[in-house]
Amino acid sequence: MFRNYVEGDMVVIQGDYAASIVLLSVLIAVIASYSALAMNGRAQRNGFFHRYIWLLFASIAMGFGIWSMHFVGMSAFSLPVHMKYNVPLTVLSIVPAMIASFLAFYLSSLSKRGFWMYVLAGISMGTGISTMHYMGMYAMEMDIFYTYDRLLFAVSIGIAVAVSMIAVYIFSSLQLYMKNRWIQLCTAVIMGLAVSSMHYTGMSAITFYMPKDFPIHTLAHEMENIGGLVIIVTVGMAFLLGMLFLSGQIDRYVEYRTNFFDSYTKLPNRRSFEQDLQKHLFPEYLSIWHLNGLEELNKEYSYQIVDEVIKRLAEKFKSLAPASSELYRMEENRFAFLMKDVKDNSQVKEAMQRIADYLQKPLLIDGEKIYLSSVCAVAEANNKTEAVALYANVLAVIDHSSTNFVNEVIFYDPSIHTRTFERELVDDISRAIKDGELFLVYQPKVSLRGNQVEGLETLLRWNHPTHGLLSPAVFIPILETHNRMVGVTDWIIEQVCRQIANWRENGISFEQISINIPGEYVTSPKLLHVLKDNMQHYKVSASQLELEITETSFVRNIDKAIQAVIAFRKEGLSVALDDFGTGVSSLSYLKKMPISTLKIDKSFIDEIPASEKDSSIMEAMIGLGQSLKLTIVFEGVETKEQIEFLKNACIMPVVQGYYFSKPQTSEEIVLWNQVHLATTKALA
């Protein structure tokens, strides 16, 4: 192996490299590394497949990439000799690369990692790369001889180990940020260079010899089975890319199913229901079947039997569902139908009555007769405004004192049901504040020029002990109608100022926190006093707060509203006009409003850039805001296409939406911000 053939009748021969194939070999190593990292990243998250399945896929991808890179790299090297491969040994040489990759990925995914873990993982990966390389070299059968330079031989292995260790360290340290494709790509380039550097350093360690009288082939690098090898590599790389694409699709599908579907019945869940309820084409009817006493059934029988009851009901509800309806499993004991294109309520009543008749009879499960008590509440909407109240109206029926759970169908009657449900929420709000049922979440606003977080919007949530997590679209209008949002807003202001002070003590800053102010409170002199008192108490500067107000605040009393905003601005507070464009008076009043920020409503974002009409409207709104030198914030941004459109259409766009982050608690938003800052810094 290290023998010197210079003595005697041997002469040294030199080979040549084809630069384009060398570049291709490096690219193969990078693609394989990228594929492996993507699949290994999938192993770090809860998913449909066990993490070891993804680790295995990642190891196969990495091992095959190392193997492919070696033989493509060898095909770039030309010698004027006859050459072929020992096929069994060539195939076997892929095994150490796969085993080493699995071990390195496994070690890098451990929760407790230290210096020696990185060393061990680097040695594992480097040894696997080197073993594969030298086994591949040994598998070559040539009519000449070759030896290795001891120093370069050792250096090649050292390079493989050292660069692998660096790649593993980067991968492990930035594992939280591995969803970012640029960081994945950078790490993949480093890993690809580890493979390539080792290969070409190892090749430089070789000296080729042949007898002086040996015949030289006119066709350099004459390889007997190169065609089959090229086919294998080509098919293999296509397989790798296919695996990467498939893993991404599985990722998205699993995430979608987890977020929007009930795991047991496979029906759309509450999140899916709330999303569909807010679509442009509003539902005309909503009916909810509330099953009463499931907990008692669990105690009397077993969870298995009750699970079978739910499964049986889901199947029956689907079979009896009226046309043009969507069935959801809202909660453990609630199923909902959203219906549209219904001629009259007799169709709805007839369909729901068929379900009621079915529930009147006992269900026979495992020899047990299960009797169910339930009620079906139905509400109707004739326009989009009424559709917003559909869910609240149905809850009002279910929670009304006159409702008995005797498997009947009850239509919402405003003269009977509305006041009870509204009254309950109004009466409960003081207790909700005291008992911690009300809580705040925050959604970041991110500048697309530099990716900096420009601030957070404060959003209110209510985890009701009876009704569960209530949608703000349900309880806020009710509280506003009964003049209870003023007190709630005072509580929000105090909580936000306290939170800013807490973050300041921990060295955390989010620049500016926005607070939504209800319309009737904007012109009240009390509001400014509450703001100043809390800012003084918690030592919060006015520049750290922004007040979000809707145009209805201005429409009711334009002169008073303008005077109020002038007063806020004199104190140094920013003022944003929220949901711009949703009302008819925005343009006529906009030039009179001393606001600092314009927030474009989500409804204008949803269809861009696909809709040419919506895109044109958006460009006009952006032009208006920029001409008035206002900060423009775009709400509800969710897709890459929307981001690209806004980057091109607006000079300094600030976006808010699920593309960057959903609304999160104070603890969650701090963790999110740490990841965001690190990702932004890494990409800078």
Side-chain angles (χ1 to χ4, degrees):
M1 185 174 183
F2 300 107
R3 178 182 173 185
N4 192 333
Y5 286 100
V6 173
E7 298 177 1
D9 295 330
M10 295 288 184
V11 295
V12 176
I13 59 172
Q14 301 292 333
D16 296 316
Y17 281 103
S20 59
I21 302 180
V22 170
L23 184 62
L24 176 62
S25 70
V26 176
L27 183 62
I28 286 173
V30 172
I31 291 173
S33 300
Y34 183 85
S35 303
L37 287 173
M39 286 181 274
N40 184 66
R42 185 69 189 89
Q44 313 312 316
R45 304 189 294 274
N46 293 326
F48 182 76
F49 296 112
H50 193 279
R51 64 188 295 264
Y52 287 125
I53 298 295
W54 289 110
L55 283 177
L56 179 62
F57 285 165
S59 305
I60 292 173
M62 194 69 226
F64 184 81
I66 295 169
W67 186 85
S68 299
M69 182 272 144
H70 171 83
F71 288 104
V72 171
M74 286 306 301
S75 69
F77 186 64
S78 299
L79 281 173
V81 296
H82 180 76
M83 184 187 302
K84 66 178 181 178
Y85 284 106
N86 180 313
V87 175
L89 191 57
T90 298
V91 173
L92 186 63
S93 66
I94 199 173
V95 175
M98 289 182 179
I99 293 174
S101 298
F102 184 89
L103 182 58
F105 285 135
Y106 173 77
L107 291 171
S108 66
S109 66
L110 295 176
S111 56
K112 294 183 178 180
R113 297 185 294 270
F115 173 76
W116 289 109
M117 188 284 296
Y118 298 120
V119 172
L120 183 59
I123 291 174
S124 171
M125 181 68 82
T127 303
I129 295 170
S130 304
T131 303
M132 188 274 121
H133 173 82
Y134 289 111
M135 280 184 69
M137 292 297 298
Y138 188 73
M140 292 193 312
E141 297 176 353
M142 297 179 287
D143 296 330
I144 59 174
F145 308 95
Y146 61 88
T147 63
Y148 290 100
D149 179 277
R150 287 182 173 84
L151 177 60
L152 287 177
F153 180 87
V155 168
S156 70
I157 298 174
I159 287 175
V161 171
V163 182
S164 295
M165 197 182 304
I166 293 170
V168 169
Y169 174 77
I170 293 173
F171 170 73
S172 301
S173 302
L174 300 180
Q175 210 166 75
L176 285 173
Y177 321 126
M178 275 295 156
K179 287 183 180 180
N180 185 289
R181 291 185 179 179
W182 285 107
I183 294 178
Q184 259 188 8
L185 182 60
C186 290
T187 310
V189 168
I190 294 173
M191 292 185 72
L193 289 175
V195 179
S196 307
S197 300
M198 185 275 138
H199 173 85
Y200 290 108
T201 304
M203 288 300 297
S204 68
I206 301 177
T207 303
F208 293 95
Y209 300 92
M210 70 177 184
K212 289 182 179 179
D213 57 350
F214 192 83
I216 297 176
H217 287 268
T218 55
L219 293 176
H221 199 194
E222 194 180 322
M223 196 177 296
E224 190 173 281
N225 44 6
I226 185 67
L229 194 61
V230 169
I231 292 173
I232 292 172
V233 170
T234 303
V235 172
M237 291 310 298
F239 174 71
L240 272 184
L241 293 174
M243 284 179 63
L244 178 61
F245 175 77
L246 181 61
S247 69
Q249 296 303 309
I250 291 175
D251 254 347
R252 284 187 282 272
Y253 178 74
V254 169
E255 185 176 1
Y256 171 70
R257 295 292 302 188
T258 302
N259 289 335
F260 292 98
F261 286 81
D262 176 60
S263 59
Y264 187 69
T265 63
K266 313 306 180 189
L267 292 173
N269 61 13
R270 178 171 181 154
R271 181 178 292 181
S272 181
F273 165 81
E274 290 181 348
Q275 189 178 71
D276 291 348
L277 191 63
Q278 296 173 6
K279 285 183 178 177
H280 296 303
L281 297 175
F282 67 89
E284 295 164 347
Y285 288 90
L286 167 64
S287 66
I288 291 182
W289 278 95
H290 179 97
L291 307 173
N292 196 41
L294 284 188
E295 191 59 39
E296 286 71 19
L297 287 178
N298 280 325
K299 294 176 183 177
E300 185 176 353
Y301 299 101
S302 67
Y303 282 96
Q304 290 80 4
I305 285 183
V306 175
D307 285 346
E308 185 60 32
V309 168
I310 296 298
K311 184 178 179 180
R312 189 86 59 87
L313 289 178
E315 293 171 353
K316 194 65 178 180
F317 285 177
K318 280 190 283 188
S319 68
L320 296 176
S324 301
S325 69
E326 186 69 50
L327 175 63
Y328 307 81
R329 190 187 182 193
M330 294 279 293
E331 296 172 26
E332 182 183 357
N333 62 340
R334 286 179 180 173
F335 290 85
F337 292 92
L338 276 179
M339 291 164 274
K340 58 182 180 181
D341 301 327
V342 180
K343 293 180 180 178
D344 55 64
N345 64 15
S346 62
Q347 284 184 270
V348 179
K349 189 169 185 178
E350 182 180 341
M352 295 302 106
Q353 191 58 50
R354 285 198 297 268
I355 295 175
D357 294 341
Y358 172 77
L359 293 174
Q360 292 288 0
K361 303 171 185 177
L363 298 179
L364 187 61
I365 298 175
D366 292 343
E368 299 283 356
K369 288 185 177 180
I370 310 296
Y371 291 88
L372 296 175
S373 61
S374 64
V375 68
C376 176
V378 185
E380 178 182 1
N382 294 307
N383 52 56
K384 195 169 183 179
T385 302
E386 292 181 2
V388 174
L390 268 178
Y391 185 43
N393 293 343
V394 169
L395 290 181
V397 175
I398 293 173
D399 296 319
H400 196 269
S401 58
S402 66
T403 299
N404 296 314
F405 297 93
V406 290
N407 304 320
E408 64 178 333
V409 180
I410 304 175
F411 276 75
Y412 168 76
D413 184 340
S415 64
I416 298 173
H417 303 114
T418 303
R419 182 159 180 80
T420 300
F421 179 68
E422 289 188 357
R423 191 72 256 168
E424 181 184 356
L425 294 188
V426 171
D427 292 343
D428 286 352
I429 191 63
S430 297
R431 187 207 67 235
I433 293 175
K434 180 181 177 182
D435 294 349
E437 294 170 19
L438 284 187
F439 63 98
L440 301 180
V441 292
Y442 303 88
Q443 190 171 36
K445 293 180 282 188
V446 181
S447 170
L448 297 185
R449 302 288 183 246
N451 222 29
Q452 292 93 356
V453 176
E454 298 292 322
L456 309 174
E457 180 181 359
T458 307
L459 300 166
L460 183 63
R461 297 292 185 264
W462 188 351
N463 190 11
H464 196 280
T466 304
H467 306 299
L469 192 62
L470 290 173
S471 170
V474 171
F475 70 83
I476 288 180
I478 292 174
L479 296 179
E480 286 181 333
T481 301
H482 293 270
N483 299 315
R484 298 302 301 273
M485 273 306 294
V486 170
V488 173
T489 303
D490 289 347
W491 176 82
I492 293 172
I493 292 170
E494 195 270 339
Q495 293 295 308
V496 168
C497 289
R498 177 184 293 180
Q499 185 63 68
I500 292 173
N502 179 267
W503 280 334
R504 182 180 63 237
E505 291 173 4
N506 290 280
I508 301 167
S509 174
F510 286 102
E511 299 298 329
Q512 196 174 69
I513 313 297
S514 301
I515 301 172
N516 289 280
I517 307 297
E520 72 273 12
Y521 200 16
V522 172
T523 56
S524 171
K526 178 189 173 189
L527 175 59
L528 189 55
H529 290 299
V530 171
L531 287 163
K532 291 169 70 174
D533 288 346
N534 279 284
M535 288 190 295
Q536 183 179 3
H537 180 74
Y538 290 103
K539 297 180 175 57
V540 173
S541 66
S543 62
Q544 292 177 282
L545 294 178
E546 181 175 66
L547 309 181
E548 293 194 7
I549 58 180
T550 60
E551 72 175 89
T552 54
S553 310
F554 288 89
V555 174
R556 290 174 186 173
N557 193 325
I558 184 67
D559 295 327
K560 283 188 176 181
I562 289 176
Q563 291 303 314
V565 174
I566 290 173
F568 298 146
R569 301 289 283 137
K570 282 184 177 178
E571 291 295 329
L573 294 157
S574 295
V575 179
L577 182 64
D578 197 12
D579 298 335
F580 174 69
T582 57
V584 297
S585 305
S586 296
L587 295 179
S588 61
Y589 292 136
L590 188 58
K591 63 180 181 179
K592 302 178 183 179
M593 303 175 187
I595 59 173
S596 53
T597 305
L598 201 63
K599 296 196 73 175
I600 308 295
D601 187 67
K602 181 182 185 298
S603 60
F604 293 95
I605 304 292
D606 289 339
E607 302 302 324
I608 63 167
S611 168
E612 185 176 342
K613 184 177 180 180
D614 283 5
S615 298
S616 298
I617 293 173
M618 176 60 68
E619 288 172 346
M621 296 169 78
I622 290 171
L624 177 64
Q626 290 181 161
S627 68
L628 296 173
K629 295 181 171 52
L630 299 174
T631 299
I632 306 177
V633 178
F634 303 90
E635 298 181 293
V637 178
E638 297 180 354
T639 68
K640 180 67 174 177
E641 292 73 22
Q642 292 169 348
I643 290 288
E644 293 302 322
F645 175 88
L646 296 174
K647 276 185 179 179
N648 295 327
C650 187
I651 297 173
M652 293 294 290
V654 178
V655 303
Q656 178 182 340
Y658 275 63
Y659 180 83
F660 282 106
S661 172
K662 65 180 181 180
Q664 301 182 78
T665 63
S666 58
E667 294 82 8
E668 293 170 337
I669 202 68
V670 169
L671 293 175
W672 174 89
N673 191 50
Q674 290 171 352
V675 173
H676 180 77
L677 286 172
T679 304
T680 302
K681 188 179 294 184
L683 296 178

